[in-house]
Amino acid sequence: MAAAPSQPRRVRDSQAAHSTLVMAAYGQTAGSGVLKTCDLDRILEALKLLLSPGGSGSSSLQITKCDVLLATLKSNLSDLEDKFLKDPHWTKLKLLRDEIANKTEWPQNSVDVTWSFTSQTLLLLLCLKETMFRLAADFNPGKPNPRTPEAAPALSPDTLSISQQKTVQSVLQFVVTLGVCPYLMPGVGVPLRYKTEFGAVVQDLVRLDAAPSATRRLYTSCRVLLNVAQHASLGSLIFCHHFGDIAAGLCQLGFCPTKRKPQKPMEEVKVLNEEERALSRGALRDILDQVYQPLAVRELLILQGGPAQPCTDGKTQVGSLAPAWLRRLCGQLLSERLMRPSGVQAVVRGILEGAGAGAAGGSDAEVMAADWKKCDLIAKILASCPQQSLSPESYYKDICPQILDLFHLQDKLTARQFQRVATTTFITMSRERPQLAAKYLLQPVLAPLHRCLNTAEIPEHDMVPGTILVTEEELSTCIEDVFKVYVVGNEPLTVLVDSLLPVLGVLFSLYCFTKQRVSHIRSLCQEILLWILGKLERKKAVASLKGFAGLDKSVPSFHSLCQFRAATQGGIMITIQEAISSEEDEDEALYQKVSSEQCQVEHLGDLLFLCQECGLAGDFFIFCLQELTQVAAEDETELKTKLFSSKSLLELERHQSFLVEGQERKLLILQLMAVLCERVSEQIFTNITQVVDFVAATLQRACASLAHQAESTVESQTLSMSMGLVAVMLGGAVQLKSSDFAVLKQLLPLLEKVSNTYPDPVIQELAVDLRITIATHGAFPTKAVAVAAAQSTLNKRDSEGKIEEQQQTNYKRFTDVANSHLEQQQSNEKSNHQTGLKSNNTPLIPQEVNEPSTTTSQKSGSITIEELQEVLLSAYDPQIPTRAAALRTLSYWIEQREAKALEMQEKLLKIFLENLEHEDTFVYLSAIQGVVLLSDAYPEKILLGLLAQYDSSKDKHTPETRMKVGEVLMRIVRALGDMVSKYREPLIHTFLRGTRDPDSAHRASSLSNLGELCQRLDFLLGSMVHEITACLIAVAKTDREVQVRRAAIHVIVLLLRGLSQKATEVLRDVLKDLYHLLKHVVCLEPDDVAKVHAQLALEELDEIMRNFLFPPQKLEKKIVVLP
């Protein structure tokens, strides 16, 4: 006998639930000897006899002919009576059946064979229930044997085996099919003929005109089934599979209107009295309260039904629409389910599980998680206030906490479904009733962030230093919920945006804090900030960024008394700051404040780098430029301001405080500009308006500098660059429309002012020509505009400015280019093939100037001596772009193995090495690339010379040059791959000698290069591993510089990480020495960073040794093919 599967969620104990209805079914059965001695197996055998297929060769569930089914039912009833009369073993069961039958109140015999069969089956089910109750009451399991505690406890004698449960399930299916479904009204429940083919046969077989009446049969079947369900095991079998049919029967018995003329036999009035109807209504509410609530919701939804469904022939199905009274009743019962505790989860589970996703997720959970239509349906149901509720506010007050709980489910698959439903419901409620949603949904979600705003009033009892204002769990939950609602929901409703706007300062402070350490909510904060900045109006978004940067004190921000702290579980909490007690603490607090502000500006730059596509970064950059212009004007005003002795001390103090705040603001603007110029890319401007605003801000600053007589080289270059940008747009690089020229006309007054006041005649002439071109909408493009466009594209002005001689020599050169450019522009206007600002990345470079670059597109072997000589001369050009382009061209020729270029390898190497000493990044990186490509062609000649240069003293080469040579060497090592083993000894010896260099930076660089080289050599280290180990031990223990000691420990980390499981073979002779060194560093090293490196190395070593001593077990199945 196997234990019956428990159903703790779906069916509860209902022994005391239906006592009134059960007593109406039959009287109390007193304890008798019959009940005590009746055999459980005998009852199940009798049930099997009733279900036997008789003389037919197939199962009774598959019989399709009415006469065969009728004959089988009669035969089974006759066989059962014969068993009771002839078999002495069935005497006890017959006595029990007769005793129960005498106490019943329903007619058991009828002309209709189906009802006679159902009556006998119900009597046997009652016998089974009473016998199981008696056996359980008489069961005494006894004390467990302490000698065998592992033995399973004895099973209760009322436990059904798996086969017995199947028998009972088949019996219940027959009872429901023959005793419940045929007597349901049209539209109540699923029609029997649509369930199975067997159901259609039964529908035609039942005689509704025979006594008892249809309603009386339905009442009897439902109340006996509820009586049988008093036993937990039988109740689980009944409600798990037939709850919907029983609930449909009780709805019809208790709520169907009776004050109307009968239209069909099943609707005849002589049915139930009011007491029986009341008992049916009470039984319905009892079972709805007791069963698994999602099951109740699902069945009620099925009973409520939907619109009439068309048939395949285009007609409407008869009886598919539920009656009006049933729809109202189901709506009322569903609302009651929803208003119960955890009613929201019950409704959601009932709808989702009914669609195919199991309670624990199941295989269909991922499909359901993506079903937005079903989520919208549930959201509309939850957002609609039912009639039973007193008011929408009371409904939202009860329901909203349950909706928020849907965000916090632990099961992953189930959580995905419920979170989508919660997000959709959240948005639907916010759209339909924004005020109530803000009060009962948004305020609880954002409460932890509101608690630490600078505008919030912190209670006095929470002002104690160290008090936890927001716990780790609260903050993590808050950020996750905000992410799910705002970012995942992605509905920029006004109430959602306005609710999040006040706490953006706290979110940004939290984002900055997470950027300084590892945190799982960092990406969530970043996505929330990017979402809200993208959805806000541009003015509000820029205002929020001003608040982030500290330029606008009116924007709500993080409270000055609060601070973020790392929590014990790896999260973040918000606490009250400790009080400052000494001068040292004040200095430390000031340092922390300054460093925090600097970090915030840098993190703001990182955030703006991600906002370039939407144009927000460009607008904020222009705002900072405008503020920079105001700073210049304010400086001039402050210089002219004089303090009068007549001012009082209070006024002087206020004035000084005002000046200090102004200086802080100016420094902050300058810091912002520096960070933005460093972080943002050249694609920061996304439209013509931003470019015009940028140029206008630059022109205004230039005019302000001229007014203050403070012209500088940097401002002159900036002005030239901005005017060249306008010239590029007007010269044909951008397809300009009439609306764009309307925007460009904003520059006319500024250009006029520059043309009248700027001292440089070239800029004056360009300003005049730009005014003419803008005013005529490009109808009069002058040559100066085309020249400026070409110069701006090439970026010909270097950091020191362009001297007058270069202007004169290059003017003629660019005049020809301008002529050709104007002709090209006119042809482009005719053909209308101009491109947009953002999509056009091809600069308008004159062919004559860009000749070195164009040669790279030629085929191998097609270069001439003249072209090579010109590129070699360009490699020494003082202009940075020309020099870098020449170096890139030479590198390309070397990569393509151009014979004429490879013949001059020594000269090329000299050029590359000389350019390594250049300070510009673009130049020396191009030179590094050239040396690497040249060494790939001639490694033996190049590599040894580079090693000698790297090993030279700092008197011959600067430390920066030696570091660049080290970078070249490591790129060569990576390019050589396995061939690096040929040059193992010179490389290792050079880096080992570098660890004794007087320059600490060179020692650290040598150690870093040595670590990467050892990673690539693996087993090829050989005996050199002893020298390397001795060097690392000496440096880690004796070197005075912290940076060098860190590098030595980091070499060990790289070595162990690179070798991995091969470390036990490659380093087997020195592994113990390295272990002792790492323990020495962990215990005695004063530097914390070096300790961290050593701890990481020990962890790597521990993992390696564990895998070596305890290799993972692999279960492999080998298939051998025998000959």
Side-chain angles (χ1 to χ4, degrees):
M1 298 282 288
S6 61
Q7 305 274 352
R9 295 193 303 168
R10 296 183 178 270
V11 180
R12 301 178 183 175
D13 186 11
S14 59
Q15 293 182 2
H18 315 294
S19 57
T20 306
L21 190 61
V22 172
M23 290 181 65
Y26 62 94
Q28 296 288 340
T29 57
S32 63
V34 174
L35 290 177
K36 293 181 181 180
T37 57
C38 187
D39 190 4
L40 189 64
D41 294 334
R42 192 70 60 202
I43 302 175
L44 291 169
E45 187 179 352
L47 291 173
K48 284 184 179 181
L49 181 60
L50 284 177
L51 298 183
S52 61
S56 62
S58 59
S59 173
S60 61
L61 294 177
Q62 298 176 348
I63 295 177
T64 58
K65 296 182 179 181
C66 295
D67 52 351
V68 178
L69 176 59
L70 190 61
T72 302
L73 296 179
K74 291 180 178 180
S75 175
N76 291 346
L77 287 174
S78 177
D79 292 342
L80 180 65
E81 291 300 327
D82 290 342
K83 280 285 186 181
F84 282 141
L85 294 175
K86 298 177 180 180
D87 194 338
H89 298 92
W90 289 60
T91 304
K92 298 176 182 178
L93 177 57
K94 182 179 183 301
L95 294 176
L96 175 60
R97 188 198 65 167
D98 295 341
E99 181 179 353
I100 293 177
N102 292 332
K103 296 179 180 180
T104 57
E105 299 177 357
W106 77 82
Q108 301 165 13
N109 297 320
S110 174
V111 179
D112 189 357
V113 178
T114 59
W115 178 245
S116 300
F117 182 86
T118 303
S119 299
Q120 293 301 319
T121 308
L122 291 174
L123 288 175
L124 290 177
L125 286 175
L126 289 173
C127 294
L128 178 65
K129 187 263 298 187
E130 292 296 336
T131 302
M132 293 175 69
F133 269 135
R134 179 62 57 180
L135 292 174
D138 296 339
F139 176 60
N140 186 10
K143 297 181 179 180
N145 188 358
R147 297 182 179 180
T148 58
E150 70 280 358
L155 283 175
S156 176
D158 65 336
T159 303
L160 297 177
S161 67
I162 300 299
S163 61
Q164 291 173 340
Q165 289 184 32
K166 291 181 179 180
T167 302
V168 175
Q169 288 177 358
S170 300
V171 171
L172 292 173
Q173 184 175 357
F174 262 91
V175 170
V176 172
T177 304
L178 296 175
V180 177
C181 294
Y183 312 115
L184 295 176
M185 296 172 57
V188 179
V190 181
L192 187 58
R193 63 172 55 90
Y194 296 146
K195 289 186 175 181
T196 60
E197 186 179 358
F198 176 72
V201 176
V202 171
Q203 187 72 47
D204 298 333
L205 189 64
V206 174
R207 295 177 57 183
L208 299 177
D209 56 343
S213 63
T215 304
R216 182 62 59 183
R217 296 183 189 184
L218 178 62
Y219 178 74
T220 301
S221 299
C222 289
R223 95 185 159 185
V224 173
L225 287 174
L226 292 179
N227 186 6
V228 174
Q230 286 184 344
H231 193 279
S233 298
L234 298 177
S236 64
L237 297 176
I238 293 173
F239 291 137
C240 286
H241 299 89
H242 307 290
F243 174 80
D245 294 323
I246 297 175
L250 292 175
C251 288
Q252 178 175 321
L253 293 172
F255 296 92
C256 178
T258 58
K259 294 181 180 180
R260 59 175 180 167
K261 296 181 180 181
Q263 299 177 357
K264 295 182 180 180
M266 67 177 61
E267 294 179 292
E268 54 189 3
V269 182
K270 51 174 185 176
V271 281
L272 303 180
N273 55 36
E274 188 59 34
E275 181 181 359
E276 291 172 331
R277 289 171 58 84
L279 289 176
S280 300
R281 290 193 290 267
L284 176 63
R285 297 189 181 277
D286 288 340
I287 64 173
L288 285 176
D289 292 338
Q290 293 162 11
V291 299
Y292 179 54
Q293 289 303 295
L295 174 64
V297 171
R298 183 180 65 196
E299 296 299 337
L300 287 175
L301 288 172
I302 295 174
L303 281 178
Q304 193 176 30
Q309 301 295 327
C311 298
T312 57
D313 57 355
K315 299 181 180 179
T316 303
Q317 290 180 0
V318 179
S320 61
L321 185 64
W325 64 267
L326 182 60
R327 294 198 301 272
R328 291 193 299 269
L329 173 63
C330 292
Q332 179 181 357
L333 295 176
L334 284 171
S335 300
E336 293 177 0
R337 300 304 101 195
L338 181 62
M339 300 296 292
R340 287 167 57 92
S342 301
V344 172
Q345 283 197 32
V347 171
V348 176
R349 289 182 184 274
I351 297 176
L352 293 181
E353 293 176 11
S363 59
D364 298 329
E366 296 184 3
V367 178
M368 283 304 307
D371 192 353
W372 280 102
K373 293 182 180 179
K374 194 163 293 294
C375 294
D376 290 339
L377 171 64
I378 300 174
K380 290 178 181 178
I381 293 175
L382 297 179
S384 301
C385 179
Q387 297 179 355
Q388 289 80 2
S389 181
L390 298 177
S391 65
E393 185 168 2
S394 62
Y395 173 72
Y396 271 60
K397 185 177 180 180
D398 295 335
I399 293 300
C400 288
Q402 297 187 44
I403 294 174
L404 296 179
D405 290 339
L406 297 180
F407 285 119
H408 310 141
L409 296 181
Q410 299 300 322
D411 183 71
K412 291 184 178 180
L413 287 178
T414 306
R416 288 182 59 190
Q417 306 171 51
F418 279 61
Q419 287 169 9
R420 291 216 169 185
V421 172
T423 300
T424 310
T425 306
F426 204 115
I427 294 173
T428 304
M429 288 183 165
S430 301
R431 184 186 298 112
E432 295 183 358
R433 298 186 182 273
Q435 295 180 351
L436 295 178
K439 182 177 181 180
Y440 295 108
L441 287 177
L442 291 168
Q443 286 185 6
V445 169
L446 300 174
L449 300 180
H450 280 286
R451 213 176 301 162
C452 50
L453 279 174
N454 59 349
T455 57
E457 295 183 3
I458 302 178
E460 293 184 2
H461 59 83
D462 290 337
M463 294 297 293
V464 180
T467 302
I468 299 177
L469 200 60
V470 179
T471 63
E472 173 186 5
E473 183 179 0
E474 286 179 331
L475 188 59
S476 299
T477 302
C478 172
I479 299 301
E480 291 172 358
D481 290 351
V482 171
F483 176 81
K484 295 168 186 174
V485 172
Y486 287 84
V487 181
V488 177
N490 196 22
E491 284 285 340
L493 300 177
T494 303
V495 63
L496 296 179
V497 174
D498 292 344
S499 299
L500 190 60
L501 198 57
V503 298
L504 287 183
V506 179
L507 273 175
F508 179 73
S509 300
L510 178 60
Y511 168 72
C512 296
F513 184 78
T514 57
K515 289 280 286 185
Q516 301 172 12
R517 55 191 41 82
V518 178
S519 177
H520 69 283
I521 62 174
R522 178 200 302 170
S523 60
L524 302 182
C525 294
Q526 176 177 301
E527 292 296 330
I528 294 170
L529 290 172
L530 291 177
W531 184 89
I532 189 65
L533 291 175
K535 301 301 181 182
L536 281 173
E537 298 178 3
R538 191 49 52 91
K539 292 183 179 179
K540 291 184 179 180
V542 174
S544 300
L545 293 176
K546 290 163 58 179
F548 296 167
L551 295 175
D552 190 355
K553 302 298 182 182
S554 63
V555 177
S557 59
F558 193 55
H559 203 290
S560 58
L561 296 179
C562 299
Q563 65 176 356
F564 295 105
R565 289 183 57 185
T568 55
Q569 301 297 325
I572 300 172
M573 59 183 178
I574 302 176
T575 61
I576 301 297
Q577 289 184 355
E578 301 289 342
I580 300 175
S581 58
S582 62
E583 293 183 359
E584 294 182 359
D585 293 340
E586 291 181 358
D587 295 340
E588 179 65 21
L590 180 61
Y591 172 75
Q592 292 293 339
K593 181 178 180 296
V594 173
S595 61
S596 175
E597 292 177 352
Q598 182 177 0
C599 290
Q600 284 190 354
V601 172
E602 293 178 356
H603 298 327
L604 180 59
D606 296 336
L607 201 62
L608 288 172
F609 177 77
L610 302 174
C611 296
Q612 293 185 110
E613 293 184 1
C614 65
L616 179 60
D619 288 341
F620 188 71
F621 183 75
I622 293 169
F623 162 76
C624 293
L625 280 178
Q626 295 171 350
E627 290 292 316
L628 195 62
T629 304
Q630 294 181 5
V631 166
E634 290 174 359
D635 288 340
E636 181 67 19
T637 305
E638 289 177 4
L639 291 175
K640 297 180 181 179
T641 304
K642 295 182 180 179
L643 297 177
F644 298 96
S645 58
S646 60
K647 288 187 176 181
S648 63
L649 293 177
L650 181 60
E651 292 177 345
L652 288 175
E653 184 177 357
R654 290 176 179 174
H655 182 72
Q656 291 296 331
S657 176
F658 177 76
L659 291 179
V660 170
E661 292 179 358
Q663 292 297 328
E664 290 180 354
R665 180 182 177 85
K666 294 172 186 176
L667 292 175
L668 186 57
I669 292 173
L670 293 174
Q671 187 179 6
L672 270 173
M673 287 299 302
V675 170
L676 289 176
C677 292
E678 179 183 356
R679 300 294 172 87
V680 298
S681 67
E682 67 279 359
Q683 298 179 354
I684 185 174
F685 299 133
T686 58
N687 52 58
I688 295 293
T689 304
Q690 289 184 338
V691 176
V692 172
D693 292 341
F694 166 71
V695 174
T698 306
L699 294 177
Q700 288 175 357
R701 192 168 69 256
C703 295
S705 301
L706 289 175
H708 304 154
Q709 297 179 355
E711 182 189 0
S712 64
T713 304
V714 175
E715 291 184 351
S716 177
Q717 292 178 2
T718 307
L719 180 61
S720 301
M721 181 267 298
S722 62
M723 296 178 68
L725 183 59
V726 179
V728 168
M729 291 192 299
L730 296 173
V734 180
Q735 183 180 0
L736 296 176
K737 303 176 182 178
S738 57
S739 58
D740 297 332
F741 279 103
V743 177
L744 285 169
K745 285 184 179 180
Q746 301 175 9
L747 302 177
L748 293 179
L750 295 173
L751 289 172
E752 183 180 5
K753 190 173 183 179
V754 170
S755 64
N756 295 331
T757 59
Y758 206 81
D760 191 345
V762 177
I763 293 181
Q764 286 184 0
E765 181 183 0
L766 180 59
V768 172
D769 292 338
L770 287 175
R771 287 184 64 243
I772 295 173
T773 307
I774 293 173
T776 60
H777 286 207
F780 183 68
T782 61
K783 294 183 179 181
V785 173
V787 171
Q791 287 178 327
S792 298
T793 307
L794 285 172
N795 195 16
K796 292 297 292 181
R797 289 181 178 268
D798 59 3
S799 59
E800 297 180 357
K802 197 171 186 181
I803 60 176
E804 186 177 357
E805 293 180 359
Q806 289 176 328
Q807 292 178 354
Q808 295 175 355
T809 56
N810 284 339
Y811 183 78
K812 183 178 180 181
R813 180 184 183 186
F814 282 111
T815 302
D816 299 334
V817 175
N819 292 327
S820 63
H821 181 65
L822 285 175
E823 295 175 0
Q824 180 184 1
Q825 178 189 357
Q826 294 172 0
S827 63
N828 287 340
E829 289 176 355
K830 294 179 181 180
S831 60
N832 196 16
H833 283 292
Q834 295 172 326
T835 56
L837 172 64
K838 197 168 183 179
S839 62
N840 185 9
N841 295 325
T842 306
L844 300 173
I845 302 178
Q847 185 178 0
E848 182 181 353
V849 180
N850 199 33
E851 187 174 355
S853 296
T854 57
T855 56
T856 61
S857 63
Q858 300 174 0
K859 296 182 180 180
S860 179
S862 61
I863 64 172
T864 62
I865 296 296
E866 292 76 11
E867 291 174 341
L868 181 59
Q869 291 295 335
E870 185 175 355
V871 175
L872 292 177
L873 291 176
S874 299
Y876 291 98
D877 194 289
Q879 306 304 321
I880 292 175
T882 304
R883 177 181 293 201
L887 294 175
R888 293 281 177 174
T889 302
L890 292 174
S891 300
Y892 178 78
W893 286 341
I894 295 171
E895 186 178 8
Q896 297 298 320
R897 297 294 192 269
E898 291 286 353
K900 292 183 177 62
L902 295 179
E903 290 174 0
M904 307 176 67
Q905 54 173 303
E906 296 181 358
K907 188 173 184 179
L908 294 179
L909 178 62
K910 181 180 178 182
I911 292 174
F912 288 137
L913 293 179
E914 289 177 358
N915 280 282
L916 280 179
E917 300 180 1
H918 199 283
E919 61 182 7
D920 187 79
T921 308
F922 191 39
V923 173
Y924 75 72
L925 287 178
S926 301
I928 288 175
Q929 182 184 7
V931 177
V932 172
L933 293 172
L934 198 59
S935 64
D936 186 43
Y938 305 99
E940 296 182 358
K941 297 180 181 179
I942 307 299
L943 187 60
L944 297 179
L946 292 175
L947 289 174
Q949 187 173 352
Y950 183 78
D951 203 16
S952 62
S953 61
K954 62 180 180 180
D955 297 334
K956 296 182 180 180
H957 300 282
T958 62
E960 290 80 7
T961 303
R962 298 168 71 192
M963 299 280 278
K964 295 173 185 176
V965 174
E967 174 64 21
V968 174
L969 289 173
M970 295 320 298
R971 291 196 182 189
I972 294 174
V973 167
R974 299 187 197 109
L976 287 174
D978 294 338
M979 292 298 296
V980 74
S981 60
K982 182 177 180 181
Y983 310 100
R984 176 192 63 172
E985 295 187 0
L987 284 169
I988 292 179
H989 289 159
T990 300
F991 293 144
L992 289 177
R993 286 193 298 270
T995 59
R996 295 180 296 175
D997 193 88
D999 186 9
S1000 60
H1002 187 74
R1003 296 200 301 272
S1005 174
S1006 299
L1007 287 170
S1008 178
N1009 296 338
L1010 181 64
E1012 186 171 353
L1013 177 63
C1014 292
Q1015 269 189 314
R1016 298 185 176 277
L1017 287 176
D1018 285 350
F1019 289 99
L1020 299 175
L1021 280 174
S1023 60
M1024 303 291 292
V1025 71
H1026 296 279
E1027 300 180 37
I1028 296 172
T1029 305
C1031 175
L1032 295 177
I1033 293 174
V1035 172
K1037 289 184 177 181
T1038 61
D1039 200 292
R1040 298 180 180 179
E1041 296 294 334
V1042 174
Q1043 183 180 5
V1044 180
R1045 296 200 302 273
R1046 293 176 183 174
I1049 303 302
H1050 188 59
V1051 170
I1052 302 177
V1053 177
L1054 292 177
L1055 195 59
L1056 294 174
R1057 190 173 296 166
L1059 293 174
S1060 186
Q1061 300 305 318
K1062 295 180 286 186
T1064 54
E1065 300 180 35
V1066 179
L1067 305 176
R1068 60 181 180 181
D1069 296 334
V1070 297
L1071 205 56
K1072 185 176 180 181
D1073 298 334
L1074 293 177
Y1075 174 75
H1076 289 163
L1077 171 63
L1078 295 174
K1079 296 296 289 185
H1080 170 82
V1081 173
V1082 171
C1083 297
L1084 302 177
E1085 173 62 45
D1087 181 56
D1088 293 334
V1089 178
K1091 286 184 177 180
V1092 171
H1093 284 312
Q1095 189 63 41
L1096 291 175
L1098 286 173
E1099 291 176 1
E1100 292 285 344
L1101 186 59
D1102 178 70
E1103 184 67 21
I1104 291 171
M1105 296 310 298
R1106 285 179 182 272
N1107 292 333
F1108 176 73
L1109 296 174
F1110 309 103
Q1113 300 293 330
K1114 295 183 180 180
L1115 299 178
E1116 297 180 353
K1117 180 185 291 185
K1118 294 183 179 180
I1119 301 176
V1120 180
V1121 179
L1122 298 176

